[in-house]
Amino acid sequence: NAGVMQNPRHLVRRRGQEARLRCSPMKGHSHVYWYRQLPEEGLKFMVYLQKENIIDESGMPKERFSAEFPKEGPSILRIQQVVRGDSAAYFCASSPRTSKRDTQYFGPGTRLTVL
Amino acid sequence: SQKIEQNSEALNIQEGKTATLTCNYTNYSPAYLQWYRQDPGRGPVFLLLIRENEKEKRKERLKVTFDTTLKQSLFHITASQPADSATYLCALREQTGYSSASKIIFGSGTRLSIRP
């Protein structure tokens, strides 16, 4: 059973470009979470999605950031018009639908560098 | 909203000793609290979960306690080894209006170094 997969692992963008980060949850998991981790800082919650629904996006910046989890395919975190401050590691986690423990299984992360 | 504080950014101890990490929360007591390990360049890995009605939980050399009066959890690694060197994160579920929603918030972590 493959774990949570994220790609790309490293992404370099110039200021003003778009960044698309993909996350494939573990098989059978229908809940996906995105976190951002700045250097030497903790994980900051961004958004929680179930298939085709955004459940909680209270941690998402109001502009330039969006997330989706379509019926088919991976979850996508999209950052438009990237700025240097967007440079960070972005982690995706998934959990199963019926989990009562809310244990989250994390992917290896995508490290975004904005030049 | 709930805040989590982990006692120190870094902890450096001698191999073989017991490492003790602290996690304090500021608001309501969560139904449970989790501990994760994160190695450099990797995603966090779940270690242990302790429920509010459990005082203590053990897994091999790991022990977690949960004191809802003090609003604190302690994470112990006994007989520590250099391979235990990592960042340890405490996490809890923030209450939401949705019974099935699970927004997990994390502390900033404690970086543990075990010297030989």
Side-chain angles (χ1 to χ4, degrees), chain B residues 11 13 17-22 35 47-48 55-66 72-80 84 88 112:
Chain B
L11 190 62
I13 68 167
K17 301 289 185 186
T18 295
T20 299
L21 285 63
T22 304
W35 284 89
L47 294 175
L48 278 170
K55 295 297 181 194
E56 182 179 297
K57 197 82 167 276
R58 289 177 185 262
K59 179 182 176 183
E60 298 173 355
R61 294 184 295 109
L62 308 180
K63 184 178 85 171
V64 172
T65 62
F66 193 5
Q72 181 180 82
S73 174
L74 297 179
F75 177 83
H76 306 272
I77 304 176
T78 57
S80 59
D84 296 326
Y88 291 86
L112 177 66

